[in-house]
Amino acid sequence: MTDYRSVPVVDSVHDRRSAATQPGSRMARRAAAAAPPPPPPPDDRPPRSHRSGGSGGGQTKMRVLAYVSIGVTTVMVAGALTAYTAYRDAFGNINEKSVKEDIINPRPPDTGALNVLLVGSDTRAGAGNARYGQQLAREANAGGKRTDTIILLHLSPDRDKARLISFPRDSMVQIPKCKNEATKQEMPPRRDMINSAYNSGGIACTISTIETLTGIRVNHFVEVDFSGFKNIVDALGGIEICLKSGVNDKASKLVLPPGKSLLNGEKALGYVRLRKYGDGSDIQRIKRQQIFLSKVVAKATSSELLTDVGRLRDFIAAAAGSVTMDPELANDTEQLIQIALSAKEMTANGVKFTTVPWVPDPEDTNRVVWKQPDANELFTSIKTDTEVTKTAEAGADTPAKPKAKIKPEQVRVQVLNGTKTVGKAREVADELAKQGFTVVGLGNYEAPGGASLAKSEIHYSKTAETAADHALTLGGSVLPKPQAASGKVKAVGAQPYTGAVATTAGAGAPAKGTPVIQLVVGEDFDSVKVTKLPDSVNNSTITASEQKNVCT
């Protein structure tokens, strides 16, 4: 596995005043009622040799600390916010920043899911953060910042599922046009490392980059700095980890035995800085950090914390000052509580932590590119995670509820191209086959007058008793959902389907005589819902429940 620890990070800086001096911040507006600020970080700085120098140690620590600072946000929105109303004064420390006017690219539609972009910033603004900044950056501009951490928190429309997607910092991607955060001048699109979007264009450019690359609407954002990381871990009473082998690392001044250890803030900081452990790669370290964050989420959503008034208030105070949110999220008490309650429920089932599938960049093996089509299938699974329609969007002769539960494997489909795009039927057929549908044929459909069909349609036989039920299953997997009607249409140039995804007869295969459902693809076709993810995605996913008793 390629070691990406030595990859240089391009740093750009800009001014940012601390929350305490911003007249527009919530803390300033509520100064009279604000809770006492959290205690300052302990004055036990890491050795100077680990904060700067040509070895890249400073960059590495900034990258790791920025990643771990995401735990602050995850914990806040996952647990402590259930008591938002009672502790709103403490939340007055949260900074607000509106960036809507700086997003200049077309935005994906809102699907009903909640997607929050979590960004770890190593801003040097404020005394607590300046102590961790790199010497060069401090000399250039005390308010500079960059991010090596970009995570998308996805909550399903009914808030019963969660996935946190980590984007590797070394990913080479296409950055769209953006406004420079400092000058507001438009910057042209370019191929660059994904974290460069934040360096020059701030959170607005990062949002645009994620949206254009994934097709997923980002509803809100949270920026986190890591100055209060140790205090937050201490406020939680420490985090327990488990190691297969012991640690004696001089660089992080961390000594741990094999087996379980309860880490206080200082030791936790050393643990997440570890480089010389395992195979030493950034990817393995990301997985180790994800496990750590899953334990943080679990502890923050535990009844032990939520029912202890004193500890909960201390925890909120320790976390709030390190967070910046968009005003819509920061001021929406109901949504914050909804997120927290959902996360608490999901902790029992396991919040999923996923790293975008990647391979080494052929142009530079110190960088990575996203593995395709696996990465796009992951993104499609997120953007097609939509509200389930309670009643069928179909004609009067289509039942609102199926008489029998039909699985995709039991549905036989003929895909017809109603557009002028050559090869569209095969493209859609391949997507359906990947999700388990039994595609039996391809063809074209000629609309009256020879025009391209505007909206996709589903047609099924009037005489087959279960055809409508099969049509409902197919319609539920196509976006936007096509209108279904009884009575089949004429296929032009019909031929059998022999796609890349083989259909095999087995326990889930359609029974003999199962009706064939026609999907006529229109210009509005967006995608097939992805419910079966590739192995590369599944292998890069961990859950909190899976890591409860596992030494790493």
Side-chain angles (χ1 to χ4, degrees), residues 357 371-379 533-537:
K371 183 180 180 181
Q372 297 295 358
D374 300 28
N376 282 344
E377 289 182 22
L378 170 62
F379 304 147
L533 291 168
D535 290 342
S536 63
V537 174

Side-chain angles (χ1 to χ4, degrees), residues 5-336:
R5 292 171 293 151
S6 61
V7 178
V9 178
V10 179
D11 194 13
S12 64
V13 294
H14 73 280
D15 291 325
R16 176 173 141 183
R17 293 177 295 173
S18 68
T21 59
Q22 292 184 19
S25 71
R26 299 175 68 198
M27 183 173 67
R29 294 198 303 270
R30 298 173 178 169
D43 192 18
D44 51 353
R45 308 181 185 186
R48 181 174 300 273
S49 61
H50 298 308
R51 298 199 306 271
S52 61
S55 66
Q59 292 181 347
T60 299
K61 186 166 76 175
M62 294 308 98
R63 179 166 70 252
V64 175
L65 287 174
Y67 189 96
V68 173
S69 67
I70 288 301
V72 177
T73 304
T74 305
V75 170
M76 284 185 61
V77 299
L81 292 176
T82 55
Y84 180 88
T85 302
Y87 299 96
R88 61 184 179 275
D89 289 342
F91 279 101
N93 290 325
I94 297 176
N95 299 308
E96 299 174 15
K97 179 167 63 177
S98 179
V99 297
K100 283 184 175 179
E101 63 279 4
D102 291 333
I103 300 176
I104 59 177
N105 295 290
R107 309 197 65 184
D110 194 331
T111 65
L114 182 63
N115 301 304
V116 183
L117 186 63
L118 311 176
V119 175
S121 170
D122 70 346
T123 176
R124 263 73 65 184
N129 287 317
R131 63 186 295 183
Y132 296 111
Q134 292 178 328
Q135 183 67 31
L136 181 62
R138 289 200 303 269
E139 291 173 355
N141 188 324
K145 67 175 183 180
R146 75 166 191 274
T147 183
D148 294 315
T149 304
I150 303 172
I151 296 180
L152 186 68
L153 167 63
H154 169 74
L155 293 176
S156 61
D158 52 8
R159 309 300 187 253
D160 66 340
K161 293 179 294 184
R163 187 184 291 270
L164 288 95
I165 303 174
S166 300
F167 297 86
R169 62 174 288 277
D170 294 334
S171 301
M172 295 301 297
V173 300
Q174 186 67 23
I175 308 292
K177 64 179 182 180
C178 290
K179 286 184 180 180
N180 182 282
E181 188 176 32
T183 67
K184 301 303 180 183
Q185 296 298 309
E186 183 175 314
M187 301 178 293
R190 67 189 188 280
R191 186 177 187 267
D192 207 338
M193 284 175 60
I194 193 169
N195 64 345
S196 71
Y198 185 80
N199 299 345
S200 56
I203 191 66
C205 188
T206 306
I207 290 173
S208 276
T209 299
I210 295 299
E211 289 188 338
T212 56
L213 291 173
T214 67
I216 300 169
R217 175 63 172 252
V218 176
N219 305 102
H220 301 289
F221 77 86
V222 180
E223 288 180 308
V224 188
D225 62 49
F226 50 75
S227 63
F229 171 69
K230 292 193 293 185
N231 292 336
I232 290 164
V233 173
D234 287 334
L236 287 172
I239 299 296
E240 184 180 84
I241 64 165
C242 188
L243 300 174
K244 288 182 179 178
S245 58
V247 173
N248 189 350
D249 184 63
K250 294 182 180 179
S252 59
K253 291 191 174 181
L254 183 66
V255 178
L256 293 173
K260 294 181 179 180
S261 296
L262 181 66
L263 305 187
N264 61 15
E266 183 68 30
K267 289 182 178 179
L269 200 58
Y271 174 71
V272 298
R273 289 207 311 256
L274 273 179
R275 291 185 296 162
K276 298 176 181 179
Y277 189 79
D279 64 10
S281 69
D282 277 353
I283 298 301
Q284 187 184 77
R285 182 168 50 188
I286 285 175
K287 181 173 288 188
R288 194 163 60 243
Q289 292 162 356
Q290 287 174 333
I291 295 172
F292 184 86
L293 294 185
S294 73
K295 294 177 182 294
V296 171
V297 172
K299 194 158 190 178
T301 57
S302 67
S303 58
E304 180 185 351
L305 174 66
L306 299 180
T307 57
D308 188 323
V309 176
R311 283 185 59 198
L312 181 58
R313 187 179 183 86
D314 290 345
F315 170 70
I316 295 174
S322 297
V323 174
T324 299
M325 299 181 183
D326 59 280
E328 292 79 12
L329 179 60
N331 293 295
D332 192 340
T333 306
E334 182 178 350
Q335 182 160 249
L336 289 171

Side-chain angles (χ1 to χ4, degrees), residues 209-535:
T209 299
I210 295 299
E211 289 188 338
T212 56
L213 291 173
T214 67
I216 300 169
R217 175 63 172 252
V218 176
N219 305 102
H220 301 289
F221 77 86
V222 180
E223 288 180 308
V224 188
D225 62 49
F226 50 75
S227 63
F229 171 69
K230 292 193 293 185
N231 292 336
I232 290 164
V233 173
D234 287 334
L236 287 172
I239 299 296
E240 184 180 84
I241 64 165
C242 188
L243 300 174
K244 288 182 179 178
S245 58
V247 173
N248 189 350
D249 184 63
K250 294 182 180 179
S252 59
K253 291 191 174 181
L254 183 66
V255 178
L256 293 173
K260 294 181 179 180
S261 296
L262 181 66
L263 305 187
N264 61 15
E266 183 68 30
K267 289 182 178 179
L269 200 58
Y271 174 71
V272 298
R273 289 207 311 256
L274 273 179
R275 291 185 296 162
K276 298 176 181 179
Y277 189 79
D279 64 10
S281 69
D282 277 353
I283 298 301
Q284 187 184 77
R285 182 168 50 188
I286 285 175
K287 181 173 288 188
R288 194 163 60 243
Q289 292 162 356
Q290 287 174 333
I291 295 172
F292 184 86
L293 294 185
S294 73
K295 294 177 182 294
V296 171
V297 172
K299 194 158 190 178
T301 57
S302 67
S303 58
E304 180 185 351
L305 174 66
L306 299 180
T307 57
D308 188 323
V309 176
R311 283 185 59 198
L312 181 58
R313 187 179 183 86
D314 290 345
F315 170 70
I316 295 174
S322 297
V323 174
T324 299
M325 299 181 183
D326 59 280
E328 292 79 12
L329 179 60
N331 293 295
D332 192 340
T333 306
E334 182 178 350
Q335 182 160 249
L336 289 171
I337 293 175
Q338 183 185 57
I339 294 172
L341 292 176
S342 299
K344 178 175 173 57
E345 179 68 24
M346 290 179 299
T347 302
N349 300 323
V351 179
K352 295 181 179 179
F353 293 78
T354 300
T355 303
V356 175
W358 57 271
V359 294
D361 183 0
E363 298 181 13
D364 183 353
T365 55
N366 288 320
R367 303 286 187 265
V368 302
V369 292
W370 297 343
K371 183 180 180 181
Q372 297 295 358
D374 300 28
N376 282 344
E377 289 182 22
L378 170 62
F379 304 147
T380 300
S381 74
I382 298 299
K383 70 180 183 180
T384 59
D385 183 9
T386 58
E387 295 281 7
V388 177
T389 305
K390 293 182 180 179
T391 58
E393 300 175 11
D397 56 351
T398 302
K401 293 183 179 180
K403 297 177 182 178
K405 186 176 181 180
I406 307 298
K407 298 179 180 179
E409 290 81 1
Q410 297 172 300
V411 181
R412 302 173 71 201
V413 187
Q414 181 188 46
V415 183
L416 303 180
N417 185 5
T419 74
K420 301 301 180 183
T421 303
V422 177
K424 192 66 176 179
R426 178 167 292 279
E427 174 189 327
V428 175
D430 288 344
E431 291 183 29
L432 287 170
K434 276 190 175 183
Q435 299 311 309
F437 287 91
T438 303
V439 182
V440 297
L442 302 173
N444 295 309
Y445 170 73
E446 292 184 359
S452 185
L453 189 66
K455 295 184 177 181
S456 300
E457 300 174 354
I458 289 177
H459 296 270
Y460 59 93
S461 173
K462 295 180 180 179
T463 58
E465 183 179 355
T466 61
D469 294 342
H470 286 73
L472 281 174
T473 297
L474 175 60
S477 293
V478 177
L479 290 178
K481 189 172 183 178
Q483 184 177 15
S486 61
K488 300 179 77 170
V489 298
K490 182 181 178 181
V492 177
Q495 57 182 290
Y497 169 74
T498 53
V501 180
T503 300
T504 58
K512 187 176 181 180
T514 300
V516 174
I517 311 301
Q518 291 179 321
L519 172 62
V520 186
V521 181
E523 293 288 353
D524 69 333
F525 174 84
D526 180 74
S527 59
V528 173
K529 286 187 178 182
V530 173
T531 57
K532 295 183 177 181
L533 291 168
D535 290 342

